[in-house]
Amino acid sequence: MYPLKFEPILKQTLWGGDKIIPFKHLNSDLKGVGESWEISGVEDNESVVANGPDKGLTLADMVRKYREELVGEANYARFGNKFPLLIKFIDAKQDLSIQVHPTDELAKKRHNSMGKTEMWYVVDADKGAKLRSGFSEQITPKEYKECVLNNTITDVLQEYEIHPGDVFFLPAGRVHSIGAGAFIAEIQQTSDITYRIYDFNRKDANGKTRELHTDLAREAINYEVLDDYRTKYDAVKDEPVELVACPYFTTSQYDMTEEISCDYSELDSFVIFICMEGACKMRDNEGHELTVSAGESILLPATTQDIIITPEGGNVKLLETYV
């Protein structure tokens, strides 16, 4: 198998901005693009291969065709034909709703689906842009419902001003929201289940408010309070820095100015690289070579033994993630 690129799935939203198209160097005049789904196995939103002999096949087609060769033996045994990760870029021109996602157990019971644990990596941020993650004080499920009804839910959430490179890990059950001016990369379980808690009483073009899932969310929320919901890490040049390791994905940052070799001979998983900055050449052990630029994502099949990453002039910043 060979390294795969995919056609982005662009989604126009009420809150979408104008950063995704230029960031990805796309020839498009679409306005209000809030999300680009980079690698997706979500039903009816499946990524399409953009390169090589399998061009035109969906990610679901690829998993069915290559099975363990693509995703790894343990992953295929665990997830079957369902690709386990969803990779997105999100550009918020306005505040997104306050929301929460269910755990695997609750999602299976209610929706016969996987839950949704995710992480954010801040690609860029307007001055003063903020993210909300977790509670700032201890509240009960009853108090939570009262806060939603009297429009004070934001008063009990932790809020952070953000800067490029900031990382937030969001296990299922953690209340969160993306603020206006935030441009982030999101790595998550393959699930599109979101419980909308609060939407700032916004109305659409027809004067209607969006549906809220206050009661569904109440049982899905983890009410614990942490001192700090940010993920701290020490930025190091020219070697991988682990950001998040959880049962659903492990993600590292590569901040590179020189060539790096990655050995995957002991890893029983596909590997995804998401390019945040610059451009680099990737060459695998079978001699396949391609260039990856800012805004692009690449999927290395589980058969990949090693890869050499060579920056093409200047600094290159990548996220690497696998299951």
Side-chain angles (χ1 to χ4, degrees), residues 12-19 31-35 90-99 120 126 128-132 159 162 176-184 198-205 208 210:
Q12 292 173 288
T13 63
L14 282 171
W15 42 263
D18 53 11
K19 293 174 183 166
K31 304 293 183 194
V33 176
E35 299 186 357
I90 299 175
D91 174 22
K93 195 169 186 178
Q94 300 174 25
D95 288 342
L96 271 66
S97 62
I98 293 167
Q99 53 192 238
W120 293 331
D126 294 347
K130 294 181 172 121
L131 296 173
R132 294 185 180 96
E159 192 172 82
I162 53 168
H176 59 272
S177 73
I178 299 170
F183 181 33
I184 65 172
Y198 185 67
D199 199 35
F200 305 96
N201 298 316
R202 274 186 292 218
K203 293 181 180 173
D204 63 18
K208 292 183 178 177
R210 292 197 292 176

Side-chain angles (χ1 to χ4, degrees), residues 258-306:
E258 58 188 49
E259 189 171 275
I260 286 181
S261 178
C262 304
D263 181 357
Y264 296 123
S265 57
E266 299 296 315
L267 182 68
D268 180 28
S269 175
F270 62 89
V271 177
I272 291 169
F273 277 101
I274 312 159
C275 189
M276 302 292 161
E277 184 182 316
C280 60
K281 195 160 278 178
M282 294 193 176
R283 181 183 175 85
D284 72 8
N285 53 288
E286 294 181 24
H288 301 116
E289 189 174 278
L290 75 171
T291 299
V292 182
S293 303
E296 289 189 311
S297 303
I298 182 173
L299 173 61
L300 307 180
T303 52
T304 304
Q305 296 294 298
D306 61 71

Side-chain angles (χ1 to χ4, degrees), residues 36-101:
S36 174
W37 289 25
E38 296 292 291
I39 299 179
S40 167
V42 174
E43 197 173 345
D44 299 326
N45 283 278
E46 292 160 345
S47 296
V48 174
V49 177
N51 67 319
D54 290 311
K55 183 175 180 179
L57 293 183
T58 68
L59 183 52
D61 294 333
M62 294 295 286
V63 178
R64 284 191 292 268
K65 180 176 179 179
Y66 292 106
R67 301 162 60 104
E68 297 92 344
E69 289 180 63
L70 178 63
V71 299
E73 288 184 17
N75 285 333
Y76 195 75
R78 182 178 171 192
F79 301 108
N81 289 327
K82 188 92 166 169
F83 190 78
L85 292 185
L86 171 57
I87 310 296
K88 299 178 184 178
F89 288 115
I90 299 175
D91 174 22
K93 195 169 186 178
Q94 300 174 25
D95 288 342
L96 271 66
S97 62
I98 293 167
Q99 53 192 238
V100 74
H101 308 298

Side-chain angles (χ1 to χ4, degrees), residues 101-115 191-195 213 216 220:
H101 308 298
T103 61
D104 284 350
E105 187 181 19
L106 190 58
K108 180 77 177 167
K109 185 171 119 185
R110 287 180 172 175
H111 313 282
N112 196 29
S113 166
M114 283 194 263
S191 168
D192 205 25
I193 299 170
T194 295
Y195 297 147
H213 312 105
L216 285 172

Side-chain angles (χ1 to χ4, degrees), residues 15 21 25 33 43 45 59 101 113 119 132 142 147 155 169 179 205 214 221 247 254 274 286 295 309:
W15 42 263
I21 300 291
H25 308 287
V33 176
E43 197 173 345
N45 283 278
L59 183 52
H101 308 298
S113 166
M119 68 168 282
R132 294 185 180 96
K142 183 172 180 287
C147 286
D155 296 347
F169 175 58
T214 312
I221 290 170
Y254 288 68
I274 312 159
E286 294 181 24
I309 308 171

